[in-house]
Amino acid sequence: MMKRPLMSLLCMALLWVCIPLYAQDQWGHEYRNDIPVYIDSIQAELTYPLAWGKSGIKNFKKWKKTARAKVFECMMAPPPKASSYDMKVLAEEQRDGYKARKIEFSLSRWYRVKAYLLIPDGVGPFPTVNLLHDHGAHLSIGKEKMIRPFAVEKSVVDDADAWVKNLYGNQYVGDYLAKHGFAVFSIDAPLWGERGRKEGVDRNRYDIIAGNMMMLGRDLSAFMTYDDIASTEFLATLPEVDSNRIGCAGCSMGGYRAWMLAALSDKIKAGACICWMGSTFAQLSNHYGRKENGGFANCIPALRQYLDYPHIASLACPKAMLFVSGKQDRLFPIPGVEAAYEVMHQVWNSQGAGEKLKTSILKQPHECNLQNQKEILDFMKSNL
């Protein structure tokens, strides 16, 4: 006969195995791997009632107006608009077929920013691309990832060259587009490059600063998008820029910024996103063993109560949009990418604009390689 203490232990072990994971951790910790143990219960309640086809709004233009207003509401208060851009040219150099300028201008009443602007040789105005840099947990440079820097210390150029070699096939996307006749523009996102901390670069402080911003009724991720919108409005005022032919493009967080900008700015006519699209379920649930490592970089408070990523991106419909994802991209599980693509195709098709949306999943990791850049160029040529 089995002794009672041993029998009790076996019963307890069996009970432990049979109890769901979230119940186990209610006896101990409520958070595991940086997410709540009841994450799946939260996911089950995310029904995205404001999505096109779910909201009950049958008129597409009315839906866009309503959904866009909700996105801006969740983005909280924006920085105040500048009364004057007061642009200054800080440096200039001639490159192969185009001129590079480093400029400074007032992006809001609160801050001025530096940017790179590439102008093709010849007579403008030119079709223009607002290039949006990535995250990469690499905050020491921002716009320098898109356009080869100059009028800076050699260490900055070396940093940028190394980054571009690793993620962009050893080719600066901005310089590549400029050689083919596009004006190109790029600024730093808040906390990147020349918009960083006085105390120096520290990725761990990003989330603390984002929390402090929320205490002030502002959202750091939203400021990034507000800045992208404002910088596009600035671009449209430049004599070298054809204000009716402005597009945007980016990889990784830059891809997120691109489809957010295309969704929220009427100035943008076409957008290209490399390696940033998926569903919240795939990005943040126990099902795929994923968690969102971008932190506050794409965190808009309460927005998941209304819309998922592809629903927001669909606000760009019927604009021309390009999405490329990688089969070997560990940051975006393919089922989530496929689900997001399906949602967006349904929206574009519903508006008779199915041919304007291009999506693909290629055999590549999380990067913007030379093939991707050629596809961006061809896409912008066709649509701008």
Side-chain angles (χ1 to χ4, degrees), residues 122-204:
V123 180
F126 301 97
T128 303
V129 178
N130 190 346
L131 271 184
L132 309 157
H133 69 75
D134 60 71
H135 187 307
H138 192 74
L139 281 66
S140 57
I141 52 174
K143 61 188 180 297
E144 296 82 7
K145 299 175 180 180
M146 298 286 92
I147 295 172
R148 193 166 195 269
F150 71 109
V152 293
E153 294 181 2
K154 184 179 182 300
S155 60
V156 176
V157 179
D158 292 343
D159 190 1
D161 284 348
W163 190 259
V164 167
K165 182 178 181 180
N166 179 58
L167 193 65
Y168 295 96
N170 204 30
Q171 177 172 266
Y172 285 89
V173 184
D175 293 77
Y176 171 66
L177 293 176
K179 286 181 181 179
H180 289 84
F182 288 87
V184 182
F185 172 88
S186 191
I187 63 169
D188 298 314
L191 283 183
W192 267 267
E194 294 180 285
R195 300 183 67 186
R197 295 169 66 244
K198 179 180 179 180
E199 298 83 0
V201 174
D202 185 346
R203 168 65 182 88
N204 294 326

Coordinates of all heavy atoms in Angstrom, one line a residue, residues 122-204:
G122 N 19.2 68.8 -62.0 CA 18.2 69.0 -63.0 C 17.1 69.9 -62.5 O 17.3 70.6 -61.5
V123 N 16.1 70.0 -63.3 CA 15.0 70.9 -63.0 C 13.8 70.2 -62.2 O 13.3 69.2 -62.7 CB 14.4 71.5 -64.3 CG1 13.3 72.5 -64.0 CG2 15.5 72.2 -65.1
G124 N 13.5 70.7 -61.1 CA 12.4 70.2 -60.3 C 11.1 70.9 -60.6 O 11.0 71.6 -61.6
P125 N 10.0 70.7 -59.8 CA 10.1 69.9 -58.6 C 10.1 68.4 -58.9 O 9.6 68.0 -59.9 CB 8.8 70.4 -57.9 CG 7.9 70.8 -59.0 CD 8.7 71.4 -60.1
F126 N 10.6 67.7 -57.9 CA 10.8 66.3 -58.0 C 9.8 65.4 -57.2 O 9.3 65.9 -56.2 CB 12.2 65.9 -57.6 CG 13.3 66.6 -58.4 CD1 13.8 67.8 -57.8 CD2 13.7 66.2 -59.6 CE1 14.8 68.5 -58.5 CE2 14.7 66.8 -60.3 CZ 15.3 68.0 -59.8
P127 N 9.5 64.2 -57.7 CA 8.8 63.3 -56.8 C 9.7 63.0 -55.6 O 10.9 63.0 -55.7 CB 8.6 62.0 -57.6 CG 9.7 62.1 -58.6 CD 9.9 63.6 -58.9
T128 N 9.1 62.9 -54.4 CA 9.9 62.9 -53.2 C 9.5 61.7 -52.2 O 8.3 61.4 -52.2 CB 9.6 64.2 -52.4 OG1 10.0 65.3 -53.3 CG2 10.4 64.3 -51.1
V129 N 10.5 61.2 -51.5 CA 10.2 60.1 -50.6 C 10.7 60.6 -49.2 O 11.8 61.0 -49.0 CB 10.9 58.8 -51.0 CG1 10.7 57.7 -49.9 CG2 10.5 58.4 -52.4
N130 N 9.8 60.5 -48.2 CA 10.1 60.7 -46.8 C 10.6 59.4 -46.3 O 9.8 58.5 -46.1 CB 8.9 61.2 -46.0 CG 9.3 61.7 -44.6 OD1 10.4 61.4 -44.1 ND2 8.4 62.4 -44.0
L131 N 11.9 59.2 -46.1 CA 12.5 58.0 -45.6 C 12.5 57.9 -44.1 O 13.0 58.8 -43.4 CB 13.9 57.8 -46.1 CG 14.0 57.1 -47.5 CD1 15.5 56.9 -47.8 CD2 13.3 55.7 -47.5
L132 N 12.0 56.8 -43.5 CA 11.8 56.7 -42.1 C 12.7 55.6 -41.5 O 12.6 54.4 -41.9 CB 10.3 56.4 -41.8 CG 9.4 57.4 -42.5 CD1 8.0 56.9 -42.7 CD2 9.4 58.7 -41.8
H133 N 13.6 56.0 -40.6 CA 14.6 55.0 -40.1 C 14.0 54.0 -39.2 O 12.9 54.1 -38.6 CB 15.8 55.8 -39.5 CG 15.4 56.4 -38.2 ND1 15.3 55.7 -37.0 CD2 15.3 57.7 -37.9 CE1 15.0 56.6 -36.0 NE2 15.0 57.8 -36.5
D134 N 14.8 52.9 -39.0 CA 14.5 51.8 -38.1 C 14.7 52.0 -36.6 O 15.2 53.1 -36.2 CB 15.2 50.5 -38.6 CG 16.7 50.7 -38.5 OD1 17.3 50.7 -37.4 OD2 17.3 50.8 -39.6
H135 N 14.4 51.0 -35.8 CA 14.7 51.0 -34.4 C 16.0 50.3 -34.1 O 17.0 50.9 -33.8 CB 13.5 50.3 -33.7 CG 13.5 50.4 -32.2 ND1 14.6 50.0 -31.4 CD2 12.5 50.7 -31.3 CE1 14.3 50.1 -30.2 NE2 13.0 50.6 -30.1
G136 N 16.0 49.0 -34.2 CA 17.2 48.2 -34.0 C 17.8 48.3 -32.6 O 19.0 47.8 -32.5
A137 N 17.1 48.9 -31.7 CA 17.7 49.1 -30.3 C 19.0 49.9 -30.5 O 19.9 49.8 -29.6 CB 17.9 47.8 -29.6
H138 N 19.2 50.6 -31.6 CA 20.4 51.3 -31.9 C 20.0 52.8 -32.1 O 19.6 53.2 -33.1 CB 21.0 50.8 -33.2 CG 22.4 51.3 -33.4 ND1 23.5 50.8 -32.7 CD2 22.9 52.2 -34.3 CE1 24.6 51.4 -33.2 NE2 24.3 52.2 -34.1
L139 N 20.2 53.6 -31.0 CA 19.7 54.9 -31.0 C 20.7 56.0 -31.3 O 20.4 57.2 -31.4 CB 19.0 55.2 -29.6 CG 17.6 54.7 -29.3 CD1 17.6 53.2 -29.3 CD2 17.1 55.3 -28.0
S140 N 22.0 55.6 -31.4 CA 23.0 56.6 -31.6 C 22.9 57.3 -32.9 O 23.4 58.5 -33.1 CB 24.4 55.9 -31.5 OG 24.5 54.9 -32.4
I141 N 22.3 56.7 -33.9 CA 22.0 57.3 -35.2 C 20.6 57.0 -35.6 O 20.0 56.0 -35.2 CB 23.0 56.7 -36.3 CG1 22.9 55.2 -36.3 CG2 24.4 57.3 -36.1 CD1 23.7 54.6 -37.5
G142 N 20.0 57.9 -36.4 CA 18.6 57.7 -36.9 C 18.6 58.0 -38.4 O 18.7 57.0 -39.2
K143 N 18.4 59.2 -38.8 CA 18.4 59.6 -40.2 C 19.7 59.1 -40.9 O 19.7 58.9 -42.2 CB 18.2 61.1 -40.4 CG 19.4 61.9 -39.7 CD 19.1 63.4 -39.7 CE 20.2 64.2 -39.1 NZ 20.4 63.9 -37.7
E144 N 20.8 59.0 -40.2 CA 22.0 58.6 -40.8 C 22.0 57.1 -41.3 O 22.8 56.7 -42.1 CB 23.2 58.7 -39.8 CG 23.5 60.1 -39.4 CD 22.5 60.7 -38.3 OE1 21.7 59.8 -37.8 OE2 22.6 61.9 -38.0
K145 N 20.9 56.4 -40.9 CA 20.7 55.0 -41.4 C 20.2 55.0 -42.8 O 20.3 54.0 -43.5 CB 19.8 54.2 -40.4 CG 20.3 54.0 -39.0 CD 19.3 53.4 -38.2 CE 19.7 53.2 -36.7 NZ 18.7 52.5 -35.9
M146 N 19.5 56.2 -43.1 CA 18.9 56.3 -44.4 C 19.7 57.0 -45.5 O 19.6 56.7 -46.7 CB 17.5 57.0 -44.2 CG 16.5 56.3 -43.3 SD 15.7 54.9 -44.1 CE 16.8 53.6 -43.6
I147 N 20.4 58.0 -45.0 CA 21.2 58.9 -45.9 C 22.6 59.0 -45.4 O 22.8 59.3 -44.2 CB 20.5 60.3 -46.1 CG1 19.2 60.2 -46.7 CG2 21.4 61.3 -46.8 CD1 18.3 61.5 -46.7
R148 N 23.6 58.8 -46.2 CA 25.0 58.8 -45.7 C 25.3 60.2 -45.1 O 25.2 61.2 -45.8 CB 26.0 58.5 -46.8 CG 27.4 58.2 -46.3 CD 28.3 57.5 -47.3 NE 29.4 56.9 -46.6 CZ 30.6 57.6 -46.4 NH1 30.7 58.8 -46.8 NH2 31.6 57.0 -45.8
P149 N 25.7 60.2 -43.9 CA 25.9 61.5 -43.2 C 27.1 62.2 -43.6 O 28.1 61.6 -44.1 CB 26.0 61.0 -41.7 CG 26.5 59.6 -41.8 CD 25.9 59.0 -43.0
F150 N 27.1 63.5 -43.4 CA 28.2 64.4 -43.6 C 28.2 65.5 -42.7 O 27.1 65.7 -42.0 CB 28.3 64.8 -45.1 CG 27.3 65.8 -45.5 CD1 27.6 67.1 -45.8 CD2 26.0 65.4 -45.7 CE1 26.7 68.0 -46.2 CE2 25.0 66.3 -46.1 CZ 25.3 67.6 -46.3
A151 N 29.2 66.3 -42.6 CA 29.3 67.4 -41.7 C 29.1 66.9 -40.3 O 28.5 67.6 -39.4 CB 28.3 68.5 -42.0
V152 N 29.6 65.7 -40.0 CA 29.6 65.2 -38.6 C 30.9 64.5 -38.3 O 31.8 64.4 -39.2 CB 28.5 64.1 -38.5 CG1 27.1 64.7 -38.7 CG2 28.7 63.0 -39.6
E153 N 31.1 64.1 -37.1 CA 32.4 63.4 -36.7 C 32.5 62.1 -37.5 O 31.5 61.4 -37.8 CB 32.4 63.2 -35.2 CG 32.5 64.4 -34.4 CD 32.5 64.1 -32.9 OE1 32.5 62.9 -32.6 OE2 32.5 65.1 -32.1
K154 N 33.7 61.7 -37.7 CA 34.0 60.4 -38.5 C 33.3 59.2 -37.8 O 32.9 58.3 -38.4 CB 35.5 60.2 -38.6 CG 35.8 59.0 -39.5 CD 37.3 58.8 -39.6 CE 37.6 57.6 -40.5 NZ 37.1 56.3 -40.0
S155 N 33.2 59.2 -36.4 CA 32.7 58.1 -35.7 C 31.2 57.9 -36.1 O 30.7 56.8 -36.1 CB 32.8 58.3 -34.2 OG 32.1 59.5 -33.8
V156 N 30.5 59.0 -36.4 CA 29.1 58.9 -36.8 C 29.0 58.3 -38.2 O 28.1 57.4 -38.4 CB 28.4 60.3 -36.8 CG1 27.0 60.2 -37.4 CG2 28.4 60.9 -35.4
V157 N 29.9 58.6 -39.1 CA 29.9 58.0 -40.4 C 30.2 56.6 -40.3 O 29.6 55.7 -41.0 CB 30.9 58.8 -41.3 CG1 30.9 58.1 -42.7 CG2 30.5 60.2 -41.5
D158 N 31.2 56.2 -39.5 CA 31.6 54.8 -39.3 C 30.4 54.0 -38.8 O 30.1 52.9 -39.2 CB 32.8 54.7 -38.4 CG 34.0 55.3 -39.0 OD1 34.1 55.4 -40.3 OD2 35.0 55.6 -38.3
D159 N 29.7 54.6 -37.8 CA 28.6 53.9 -37.2 C 27.5 53.7 -38.2 O 26.9 52.6 -38.3 CB 28.0 54.8 -36.1 CG 26.9 54.2 -35.2 OD1 26.6 53.0 -35.4 OD2 26.4 54.8 -34.3
A160 N 27.2 54.7 -39.0 CA 26.2 54.5 -40.1 C 26.6 53.5 -41.1 O 25.8 52.7 -41.6 CB 25.9 55.9 -40.7
D161 N 27.8 53.6 -41.6 CA 28.3 52.6 -42.6 C 28.2 51.2 -42.1 O 27.8 50.3 -42.9 CB 29.8 52.9 -42.9 CG 30.0 54.1 -43.8 OD1 29.0 54.6 -44.4 OD2 31.1 54.6 -43.9
A162 N 28.5 51.0 -40.8 CA 28.4 49.6 -40.3 C 27.0 49.2 -40.2 O 26.6 48.0 -40.5 CB 29.0 49.6 -38.9
W163 N 26.1 50.1 -39.8 CA 24.6 49.7 -39.7 C 24.1 49.4 -41.1 O 23.3 48.4 -41.3 CB 23.9 50.9 -39.1 CG 22.5 50.5 -38.7 CD1 21.3 50.8 -39.4 CD2 22.1 49.7 -37.6 NE1 20.2 50.2 -38.7 CE2 20.7 49.5 -37.6 CE3 22.8 49.1 -36.5 CZ2 20.0 48.8 -36.6 CZ3 22.1 48.3 -35.6 CH2 20.7 48.2 -35.6
V164 N 24.4 50.2 -42.1 CA 23.9 50.0 -43.4 C 24.4 48.7 -44.0 O 23.7 48.0 -44.8 CB 24.2 51.3 -44.3 CG1 23.9 51.0 -45.8 CG2 23.4 52.5 -43.8
K165 N 25.6 48.4 -43.8 CA 26.2 47.2 -44.3 C 25.5 46.0 -43.7 O 25.2 45.0 -44.4 CB 27.7 47.1 -43.9 CG 28.4 45.8 -44.4 CD 29.9 45.8 -44.0 CE 30.6 44.6 -44.5 NZ 32.0 44.6 -44.2
N166 N 25.0 46.1 -42.5 CA 24.4 44.9 -41.8 C 22.9 44.8 -42.2 O 22.4 43.7 -42.4 CB 24.5 45.1 -40.3 CG 23.8 44.0 -39.5 OD1 24.1 42.8 -39.7 ND2 22.8 44.4 -38.7
L167 N 22.2 45.9 -42.3 CA 20.7 45.8 -42.5 C 20.2 46.2 -43.9 O 19.2 45.8 -44.3 CB 20.0 46.7 -41.4 CG 18.5 46.5 -41.3 CD1 18.2 45.1 -40.7 CD2 17.9 47.6 -40.3
Y168 N 21.1 46.9 -44.6 CA 20.6 47.5 -45.9 C 21.5 47.1 -47.1 O 21.5 47.8 -48.1 CB 20.5 49.0 -45.8 CG 19.5 49.5 -44.8 CD1 19.8 49.8 -43.5 CD2 18.1 49.6 -45.2 CE1 18.9 50.2 -42.6 CE2 17.2 50.0 -44.3 CZ 17.5 50.3 -43.0 OH 16.6 50.7 -42.1
G169 N 22.1 46.0 -47.0 CA 22.9 45.5 -48.1 C 24.1 46.4 -48.5 O 24.5 46.4 -49.7
N170 N 24.6 47.1 -47.5 CA 25.7 48.0 -47.8 C 25.3 49.1 -48.7 O 26.2 49.6 -49.5 CB 26.9 47.3 -48.3 CG 28.2 48.0 -48.0 OD1 28.3 48.7 -47.0 ND2 29.2 47.8 -48.8
Q171 N 24.1 49.5 -48.8 CA 23.6 50.6 -49.6 C 22.7 51.5 -48.9 O 21.7 51.1 -48.3 CB 22.9 50.0 -50.9 CG 22.3 51.1 -51.8 CD 21.8 50.4 -53.1 OE1 22.5 50.3 -54.1 NE2 20.6 49.9 -53.1
Y172 N 22.9 52.8 -48.9 CA 22.0 53.8 -48.3 C 20.8 54.0 -49.2 O 20.9 54.3 -50.3 CB 22.7 55.1 -48.1 CG 23.7 55.2 -47.0 CD1 25.1 54.8 -47.2 CD2 23.4 55.6 -45.7 CE1 26.0 54.9 -46.2 CE2 24.3 55.6 -44.7 CZ 25.6 55.3 -44.9 OH 26.5 55.3 -43.9
V173 N 19.6 53.7 -48.6 CA 18.4 53.7 -49.4 C 18.2 55.1 -50.0 O 17.8 55.2 -51.2 CB 17.2 53.3 -48.6 CG1 15.9 53.2 -49.4 CG2 17.4 51.9 -47.9
G174 N 18.4 56.1 -49.2 CA 18.2 57.5 -49.6 C 19.0 57.9 -50.8 O 18.6 58.4 -51.8
D175 N 20.3 57.6 -50.7 CA 21.2 57.9 -51.8 C 20.9 57.1 -53.1 O 21.0 57.6 -54.2 CB 22.7 57.6 -51.4 CG 23.1 58.6 -50.2 OD1 22.7 58.3 -49.1 OD2 23.8 59.5 -50.5
Y176 N 20.5 55.9 -52.9 CA 20.0 55.0 -54.0 C 18.9 55.7 -54.7 O 18.8 55.8 -56.0 CB 19.7 53.7 -53.5 CG 19.1 52.7 -54.5 CD1 19.8 52.3 -55.6 CD2 17.8 52.3 -54.3 CE1 19.2 51.4 -56.5 CE2 17.2 51.4 -55.2 CZ 17.9 50.9 -56.3 OH 17.3 50.1 -57.2
L177 N 17.9 56.1 -54.0 CA 16.7 56.7 -54.6 C 17.0 58.1 -55.3 O 16.5 58.4 -56.4 CB 15.6 56.9 -53.6 CG 15.0 55.7 -53.0 CD1 14.0 56.0 -51.9 CD2 14.3 54.8 -54.0
A178 N 17.9 58.8 -54.6 CA 18.3 60.1 -55.2 C 19.0 60.0 -56.5 O 18.8 60.8 -57.4 CB 19.1 60.9 -54.2
K179 N 19.8 59.0 -56.7 CA 20.5 58.7 -57.9 C 19.5 58.4 -59.1 O 19.9 58.6 -60.2 CB 21.5 57.5 -57.8 CG 22.7 57.8 -57.0 CD 23.6 56.6 -56.9 CE 24.9 56.9 -56.1 NZ 25.7 55.7 -56.0
H180 N 18.3 58.0 -58.7 CA 17.3 57.6 -59.7 C 16.2 58.7 -59.8 O 15.1 58.4 -60.2 CB 16.7 56.3 -59.4 CG 17.6 55.1 -59.6 ND1 18.6 54.7 -58.7 CD2 17.8 54.3 -60.7 CE1 19.3 53.7 -59.2 NE2 18.8 53.4 -60.4
G181 N 16.5 59.9 -59.4 CA 15.6 61.0 -59.7 C 14.6 61.4 -58.6 O 13.8 62.3 -58.8
F182 N 14.8 60.9 -57.4 CA 13.8 61.3 -56.3 C 14.5 62.2 -55.3 O 15.7 62.0 -54.9 CB 13.4 60.0 -55.5 CG 12.4 59.1 -56.3 CD1 12.9 58.2 -57.1 CD2 11.0 59.3 -56.2 CE1 12.0 57.4 -57.9 CE2 10.1 58.5 -56.9 CZ 10.6 57.6 -57.7
A183 N 13.8 63.2 -54.9 CA 14.2 64.0 -53.8 C 14.0 63.1 -52.5 O 13.0 62.4 -52.5 CB 13.4 65.3 -53.7
V184 N 14.8 63.2 -51.6 CA 14.7 62.3 -50.4 C 15.0 63.1 -49.2 O 15.8 64.0 -49.1 CB 15.8 61.1 -50.5 CG1 15.6 60.2 -49.3 CG2 15.6 60.3 -51.8
F185 N 14.2 62.8 -48.1 CA 14.3 63.5 -46.9 C 14.2 62.5 -45.7 O 13.6 61.5 -45.8 CB 13.0 64.4 -46.8 CG 12.8 65.1 -45.5 CD1 13.4 66.3 -45.2 CD2 12.0 64.6 -44.5 CE1 13.2 67.0 -44.0 CE2 11.8 65.2 -43.3 CZ 12.4 66.4 -43.1
S186 N 14.9 62.8 -44.6 CA 14.9 62.0 -43.4 C 15.2 62.8 -42.2 O 16.2 63.6 -42.2 CB 15.9 60.8 -43.6 OG 15.7 59.8 -42.6
I187 N 14.5 62.5 -41.1 CA 14.7 63.1 -39.8 C 14.9 62.0 -38.8 O 14.6 60.9 -39.0 CB 13.6 64.1 -39.4 CG1 12.3 63.3 -39.2 CG2 13.4 65.2 -40.3 CD1 11.2 64.1 -38.5
D188 N 15.4 62.4 -37.6 CA 15.5 61.5 -36.5 C 14.1 61.4 -35.8 O 13.4 62.4 -35.6 CB 16.5 62.0 -35.4 CG 17.9 62.1 -36.0 OD1 18.4 61.1 -36.6 OD2 18.6 63.1 -35.8
A189 N 13.8 60.2 -35.4 CA 12.7 60.1 -34.5 C 13.1 60.5 -33.1 O 14.3 60.6 -32.8 CB 12.2 58.6 -34.4
P190 N 12.1 60.9 -32.2 CA 12.5 61.3 -30.9 C 13.4 60.3 -30.2 O 13.0 59.1 -30.2 CB 11.1 61.5 -30.2 CG 10.2 61.8 -31.3 CD 10.7 61.0 -32.5
L191 N 14.5 60.8 -29.6 CA 15.5 60.0 -28.9 C 16.5 59.3 -29.8 O 17.4 58.7 -29.2 CB 14.8 58.9 -27.9 CG 14.2 59.5 -26.6 CD1 13.7 58.4 -25.8 CD2 15.2 60.3 -25.9
W192 N 16.4 59.4 -31.1 CA 17.4 58.9 -32.0 C 18.4 60.0 -32.4 O 18.0 61.1 -32.6 CB 16.8 58.2 -33.2 CG 16.5 56.7 -33.0 CD1 17.4 55.7 -33.3 CD2 15.4 56.1 -32.4 NE1 16.8 54.5 -33.0 CE2 15.6 54.7 -32.4 CE3 14.2 56.6 -31.8 CZ2 14.7 53.8 -31.9 CZ3 13.3 55.7 -31.3 CH2 13.5 54.3 -31.4
G193 N 19.6 59.6 -32.7 CA 20.5 60.5 -33.4 C 20.7 61.8 -32.6 O 21.0 61.9 -31.4
E194 N 20.5 62.9 -33.4 CA 20.7 64.2 -32.8 C 19.5 64.7 -32.0 O 19.5 65.9 -31.5 CB 21.0 65.2 -33.9 CG 22.3 64.9 -34.6 CD 22.7 65.9 -35.7 OE1 22.1 65.8 -36.8 OE2 23.6 66.8 -35.5
R195 N 18.6 63.8 -31.7 CA 17.5 64.2 -30.8 C 17.5 63.3 -29.6 O 16.5 63.0 -28.9 CB 16.1 63.9 -31.6 CG 15.9 64.8 -32.8 CD 14.6 64.6 -33.4 NE 13.5 65.1 -32.6 CZ 12.2 64.9 -32.8 NH1 11.8 64.3 -33.9 NH2 11.3 65.5 -32.0
G196 N 18.7 62.9 -29.2 CA 18.9 62.0 -28.1 C 19.0 62.6 -26.7 O 18.7 63.8 -26.6
R197 N 19.4 61.9 -25.7 CA 19.5 62.3 -24.3 C 20.8 63.1 -24.2 O 21.9 62.7 -24.7 CB 19.5 61.1 -23.4 CG 18.3 60.3 -23.3 CD 18.5 59.0 -22.6 NE 18.7 59.2 -21.2 CZ 19.9 58.9 -20.5 NH1 20.9 58.4 -21.2 NH2 20.0 59.2 -19.2
K198 N 20.8 64.1 -23.4 CA 22.0 64.9 -23.0 C 23.0 64.0 -22.3 O 24.2 64.1 -22.5 CB 21.6 66.0 -22.1 CG 22.8 66.9 -21.7 CD 22.3 68.0 -20.8 CE 23.5 68.9 -20.3 NZ 23.1 70.0 -19.4
E199 N 22.5 63.0 -21.5 CA 23.3 62.1 -20.8 C 23.9 61.0 -21.6 O 24.8 60.2 -21.1 CB 22.6 61.5 -19.6 CG 22.0 62.5 -18.6 CD 20.7 63.1 -19.0 OE1 20.2 62.8 -20.1 OE2 20.2 64.0 -18.3
G200 N 23.5 60.9 -22.8 CA 24.0 59.9 -23.7 C 23.0 58.8 -24.0 O 22.0 58.7 -23.4
V201 N 23.4 57.9 -25.0 CA 22.5 56.8 -25.4 C 22.3 55.8 -24.4 O 23.3 55.3 -23.9 CB 23.0 56.2 -26.8 CG1 22.1 55.0 -27.2 CG2 23.0 57.3 -27.9
D202 N 21.1 55.4 -24.1 CA 20.8 54.3 -23.2 C 19.4 53.8 -23.5 O 18.4 54.4 -23.2 CB 20.8 54.8 -21.7 CG 20.7 53.6 -20.7 OD1 20.2 52.5 -21.2 OD2 20.9 53.8 -19.5
R203 N 19.4 52.6 -24.2 CA 18.1 52.0 -24.6 C 17.1 51.8 -23.5 O 15.9 52.0 -23.6 CB 18.4 50.7 -25.3 CG 17.1 49.8 -25.6 CD 16.1 50.5 -26.5 NE 15.0 49.7 -26.7 CZ 13.9 49.7 -26.0 NH1 13.8 50.6 -24.9 NH2 12.8 48.9 -26.2
N204 N 17.7 51.5 -22.3 CA 16.8 51.2 -21.1 C 16.1 52.5 -20.6 O 15.1 52.4 -19.9 CB 17.7 50.6 -20.0 CG 18.2 49.3 -20.4 OD1 17.6 48.5 -21.1 ND2 19.4 49.0 -19.9

